[in-house]
Amino acid sequence: MMKKLLLLLLCFMAVEVNATVSQSQDPIDLSVGKIDPTDPIGGYDRAPMQPPHVFIDGHTLFMQYVPFDVTLEILDGSGSVAYTTFVAACTPSVTLPYTLSGDYQIRLIEGYWYFYGWIHL
């Protein structure tokens, strides 16, 4: 418990240090979804976390409020996964492959929930 509390405190401190958003960074509006909406809530009744604050500049994602580990997925127009990677808690940025271009859906998956939005590369 104490370890988790310390990790969250460090994450919030890192967020404060990286709180400045550049004019060239565009915010990504994220919504929340459930991995399998047909499953009953019974086994995992906790509410989803606050959506993370994610910005994009070119092919770089800047994450200002992601205090938990996530799987990052980039999906193309047909819904196929074009890119996936693990992102550790409090990672300040992730650079996407330059081979990706066009419109994509971004998903940050955490447990039974995922946050999603759209980006243009």
Side-chain angles (χ1 to χ4, degrees):
M1 175 72 175
M2 190 64 159
K3 198 177 201 182
K4 286 183 180 180
L5 189 59
L6 182 59
L7 177 63
L8 279 174
L9 179 62
L10 290 173
C11 286
F12 288 126
M13 289 172 58
V15 168
E16 289 301 317
V17 170
N18 294 323
T20 308
V21 177
S22 167
Q23 293 290 357
S24 62
Q25 295 176 2
D26 294 321
I28 300 172
D29 185 29
L30 296 175
S31 300
V32 66
K34 191 173 168 189
I35 295 297
D36 186 354
T38 63
D39 278 349
I41 300 270
Y44 39 90
D45 58 355
R46 70 180 176 95
M49 298 177 194
Q50 175 185 356
H53 299 150
V54 182
F55 300 84
I56 189 165
D57 185 7
H59 278 71
T60 303
L61 298 175
F62 296 93
M63 304 190 186
Q64 293 193 347
Y65 177 73
V66 187
F68 42 84
D69 296 341
V70 296
T71 299
L72 168 67
E73 289 185 346
I74 304 296
L75 290 82
D76 63 18
S78 67
S80 299
V81 176
Y83 177 75
T84 186
T85 190
F86 172 80
V87 180
C90 302
T91 300
S93 65
V94 175
T95 301
L96 302 174
Y98 288 97
T99 56
L100 297 175
S101 65
D103 295 322
Y104 293 92
Q105 183 183 58
I106 179 175
R107 285 189 184 177
L108 300 171
I109 303 168
E110 192 279 323
Y112 297 104
W113 304 97
Y114 66 94
F115 301 97
Y116 66 96
W118 286 264
I119 58 174
H120 180 76
L121 300 172

